[in-house]
Amino acid sequence: MNEPIPEDAKAFFELANRFVAQANDLSEEHGRARVAAALLYAASRYGAFAWAMSGAPGRQTPEEALDLFGAQYRKMMEDNLRRMEQEFAPKE
């Protein structure tokens, strides 16, 4: 039996799904590659802003923040690549 998803996790995924839906809409006009690049740029820009506004500067170097954000992105990308590979694998 699968464990229930906590409410804060549900809210997180619902928010992420809203970004994905907006990206899907924008890709019709701009193409997936451009939207993916713009979304990545926007995520890095907002992440840097959130880091700066969090009070982290002075307690954490930009290099440490980059290591943390990079590791989080890598894990999320690995998880999603596996999910997409399973979802879109050729059917036998």
Side-chain angles (χ1 to χ4, degrees):
M1 184 167 104
N2 292 338
E3 293 185 31
I5 299 172
E7 286 303 312
D8 62 331
K10 284 182 184 177
F12 172 83
F13 289 115
E14 287 173 9
L15 182 58
N17 287 338
R18 288 174 61 187
F19 284 112
V20 171
Q22 182 69 35
N24 285 335
D25 290 344
L26 290 167
S27 70
E28 292 177 17
E29 180 181 349
H30 299 283
R32 287 188 192 115
R34 180 173 290 230
V35 170
L39 190 54
L40 234 119
Y41 178 77
S44 70
R45 185 172 162 187
Y46 193 82
F49 171 75
W51 174 82
M53 295 294 104
S54 73
R59 293 180 294 133
Q60 182 184 51
T61 67
E63 292 78 15
E64 290 169 330
L66 184 57
D67 287 344
L68 177 64
F69 278 88
Q72 289 174 334
Y73 177 80
R74 182 175 186 89
K75 183 183 180 330
M76 289 184 272
M77 187 65 171
E78 287 171 347
D79 291 345
N80 281 296
L81 285 171
R82 275 193 294 277
R83 182 173 289 136
M84 292 296 129
E85 186 176 42
Q86 291 170 355
E87 188 172 332
F88 294 104
K91 308 293 182 218
E92 295 180 14

